């Protein structure tokens, strides 16, 4: 029995998982995407099929495998936080507004030593992006993540987010507490309204720093 095609079959499995996903809403995690029409199409469940060639299947599978590793990293770190004595509540807590059109799902809520609640957001990243994050901060390095956290704070009504990023190369952890940025929240709210009202008429925009 040959295993020569094993890597492609594994990525094909991950690609098949992506094909079954349908949002049906605008998610906080995609709101920062550069292409507003892409966000509208995702909401409408109208994104065109991507897995029509082997190259596309492998690309989609690679992306989904990365997401899966990120979910495992999140579970591992939360378990470590709890083992270190931190209280983590509302795992995968969610909010839904505008009749379900806009939704978000948080990693959890973590309490500091004084008992103050913080939204918990965990990301894992390659070393070059990790170094950029340490040097430049969340907003400049990962604008999509920054907007995502601001939407969480606004709608969940907790004014702080503990943002943790794990370096995939060595397990190093970067931490920062993000606070409410009213200008960014207003930008996000305007973008939501624009997509709802005019998304079908927007031209496609190529390229997104966080893709």
């Amino acid at each position: 029995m040959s295993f020569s095609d094993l890597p492609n079959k594994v990525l094909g499995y991950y690609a098949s998982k992506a094909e079954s996903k349908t949002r049906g809403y605008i998610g906080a995690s995609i709101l920062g995407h550069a292409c507003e029409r892409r966000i509208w199409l995702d909401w409408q469940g109208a994104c065109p099929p991507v897995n029509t060639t082997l190259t596309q299947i492998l690309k989609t599978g690679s992306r989904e495998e990365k997401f899966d590793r990120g979910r495992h990293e999140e579970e591992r770190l939360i378990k470590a936080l709890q083992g270190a004595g931190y209280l983590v509540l509302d795992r995968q807590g969610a909010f839904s507004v505008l009749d379900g059109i806009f939704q978000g799902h948080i990693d959890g809520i973590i309490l500091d030593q004084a008992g103050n609640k913080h939204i918990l957001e965990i990301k894992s990243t390659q070393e070059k992006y990790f170094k950029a994050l340490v040097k430049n901060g969340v907003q400049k390095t990962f604008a999509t993540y920054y907007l995502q956290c601001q939407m969480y704070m606004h709608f969940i009504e907790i004014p702080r987010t503990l943002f943790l990023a794990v370096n995939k190369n060595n397990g190093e952890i970067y931490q920062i507490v993000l606070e409410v940025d009213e200008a960014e929240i207003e930008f996000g709210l305007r973008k939501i309204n624009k997509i709802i009202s005019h998304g079908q008429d927007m031209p496609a925009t190529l390229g997104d720093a966080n893709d």
Side-chain angles (χ1 to χ4, degrees), residues 1-12 54 58:
M1 184 177 184
S2 173
F3 295 102
S4 60
D5 201 34
L6 186 150
N8 287 354
K9 287 183 177 179
V10 170
L11 292 181
L54 178 59
L58 297 181

Side-chain angles (χ1 to χ4, degrees), residues 3-18 51 54 57-66 68-69:
F3 295 102
S4 60
D5 201 34
L6 186 150
N8 287 354
K9 287 183 177 179
V10 170
L11 292 181
Y13 159 74
Y14 281 108
S16 69
K17 294 173 65 176
N51 297 330
L54 178 59
I57 289 172
L58 297 181
K59 181 178 179 180
T60 302
S62 179
R63 185 186 68 240
E64 290 300 312
E65 189 274 339
K66 180 179 70 173
D68 192 59
R69 278 189 285 120

Side-chain angles (χ1 to χ4, degrees), residues 36-97:
E36 294 173 338
R37 182 166 175 78
R38 166 68 174 77
I39 300 172
W40 183 85
L41 287 170
D42 188 74
W43 165 35
Q44 298 296 318
C47 289
V50 295
N51 297 330
T52 55
T53 68
L54 178 59
T55 299
Q56 291 168 329
I57 289 172
L58 297 181
K59 181 178 179 180
T60 302
S62 179
R63 185 186 68 240
E64 290 300 312
E65 189 274 339
K66 180 179 70 173
F67 290 157
D68 192 59
R69 278 189 285 120
R71 287 188 287 269
H72 284 293
E73 184 62 48
E74 174 192 322
E75 292 292 333
R76 185 193 68 81
L77 184 51
I78 287 178
K79 184 177 180 180
L81 289 168
Q82 292 171 328
Y86 292 97
L87 183 60
V88 180
L89 309 171
D90 292 341
R91 295 290 315 283
Q92 293 300 320
F95 70 85
S96 177
V97 296

Side-chain angles (χ1 to χ4, degrees), residues 139 146 150-151 153 159 178-187:
Q139 187 173 17
Y146 186 77
Q150 292 299 327
M151 293 294 98
M153 288 188 278
L178 302 177
E179 307 222 354
V180 169
D181 181 339
E182 295 291 354
E184 186 74 1
I185 290 170
E186 182 60 30
F187 166 77

